[in-house]
Amino acid sequence: QKEVEQDPGPLSVPEGAIVSLNCTYSNSAFQYFMWYRQYSRKGPELLMYTYSSGNKEDGRFTAQVDKSSKYISLFIRDSQPSDSATYLCAMSGGSNYQLIWGAGTKLIIKP
Amino acid sequence: DSGVTQTPKHLITATGQRVTLRCSPRSGDLSVYWYQQSLDQGLQFLIQYYNGEERAKGNILERFSAQQFPDLHSELNLSSLELGDSALYFCASSVEGARDIQYFGAGTRLSVL
C-alpha cells in the first residue's frame, strides 16, 4: 500500500462547478500538507500549504486536513478552464521529514 | 517565475550516452531535490542535497549521480542512457528540509533516441 493515495482521474467538471480533490494517507506522523498544481509538462507550483489539521482558504481555493481520518482535500470554487491541470498532494513529517507525493489528479474544466 | 533555474530546457541524445543536467536553486535555499517524471506519471524523487551534502536518496538508479557545489548549484549526471530514461527531470529547492516549501524549476525534457 502506498503511503499517499490519490485518484489519478481524469476528473471532468463544467465551468463554474465546485471541485473537490482528495488524498488519503497512512502515516499518522505527517504534519505538513501541500497542494501543487502542474500544467502539462511544466514545473509544479505550490497552491496551498497547511500545518496540522484545519482549513486554509486562499481566494477560490480551500485546503482541508482531517488528521483523524488521514484525509486531505482541496476545494476549488467557481472553477475556470484555466484550472485544468494536474493537482498533486504532498506531505511530510515522518521520521526523516521527506516529502511524500500523491500520483496527481488530472482535472479538466469544460467551458 | 519560481527562482529555480534549470538548463538545458531540452536534451536529445542517443542510447548509451551521458548527459548532465544543471540546476541553480533560489537565492538563499540550501536544499536541492531532483525528481523524474515520465509521461503521464507522478513525480519520482531521486535525491536531495543539503548545503553540499547528500541528505536523502530515493529511487535513483546506479547509472545516475548528482552533486551540489559550493555555490549551491547542483548537477544530475545520467550515464549509459536507455530509452526508458526519457522523461522530464525537475529540480526543486527549499530553505532547509522537506517541511519547507519546495519550489520547482521548469524542468529539463530528456529524449533518448
Side-chain angles (χ1 to χ4, degrees):
Chain A
Q1 184 190 5
K2 291 182 180 179
E3 276 192 285
V4 178
E5 298 279 359
Q6 184 177 13
D7 187 336
L11 175 63
S12 183
V13 301
E15 183 177 355
I18 296 175
V19 175
S20 173
L21 302 165
N22 311 293
C23 289
T24 59
Y25 62 95
S26 56
N27 190 338
S28 58
F30 287 153
Q31 300 179 72
Y32 302 89
F33 303 92
M34 304 166 200
W35 284 95
Y36 283 80
R37 176 176 63 194
Q38 184 179 25
Y39 291 112
S40 182
R41 306 188 79 75
K42 304 291 186 187
E45 59 175 315
L46 182 77
L47 276 179
M48 302 289 283
Y49 175 88
T50 53
Y51 170 71
S52 195
S53 282
N55 293 359
K56 186 173 183 179
E57 189 173 318
D58 184 1
R60 296 184 297 112
F61 299 91
T62 299
Q64 199 170 74
V65 174
D66 182 349
K67 292 190 74 179
S68 62
S69 301
K70 298 191 184 68
Y71 189 88
I72 68 170
S73 301
L74 177 71
F75 298 97
I76 307 175
R77 290 183 299 281
D78 188 25
S79 55
Q80 305 293 312
S82 58
D83 294 327
S84 297
T86 295
Y87 290 78
L88 300 132
C89 64
M91 49 197 80
S92 71
S95 58
N96 62 4
Y97 280 99
Q98 284 305 304
L99 203 57
I100 309 299
W101 293 84
T105 299
K106 185 171 184 177
L107 174 66
I108 301 168
I109 308 297
K110 298 176 293 185
Chain B
D1 184 359
S2 67
V4 179
T5 304
Q6 288 188 250
T7 57
K9 285 186 171 49
H10 196 180
L11 260 179
I12 303 174
T13 188
T15 55
Q17 295 299 304
R18 172 189 169 94
V19 297
T20 297
L21 313 183
R22 183 188 168 101
C23 170
S24 294
R26 293 187 323 148
S27 176
D29 284 359
L30 299 176
S31 267
V32 168
Y33 309 79
W34 286 98
Y35 291 88
Q36 180 192 58
Q37 188 175 46
S38 301
L39 190 64
D40 292 331
Q41 298 293 310
L43 285 170
Q44 298 296 319
F45 168 66
L46 296 177
I47 198 163
Q48 178 198 356
Y49 276 82
Y50 172 75
N51 203 20
E53 302 285 329
E54 181 185 304
R55 175 167 274 191
K57 241 179 186 177
N59 298 322
I60 187 166
L61 299 172
E62 284 192 13
R63 300 183 285 109
F64 296 0
S65 64
Q67 53 185 326
Q68 187 179 26
F69 295 87
D71 67 353
L72 300 177
H73 92 270
S74 179
E75 293 181 356
L76 179 68
N77 301 296
L78 314 176
S79 61
S80 302
L81 284 168
E82 302 175 359
L83 295 177
D85 297 327
S86 296
L88 275 165
Y89 291 85
F90 290 107
C91 168
S93 73
S94 69
V95 173
E96 184 176 343
R99 70 184 76 188
D100 303 315
I101 296 166
Q102 292 185 23
Y103 294 88
F104 281 77
T108 293
R109 187 188 308 177
L110 175 64
S111 300
V112 182
L113 305 178

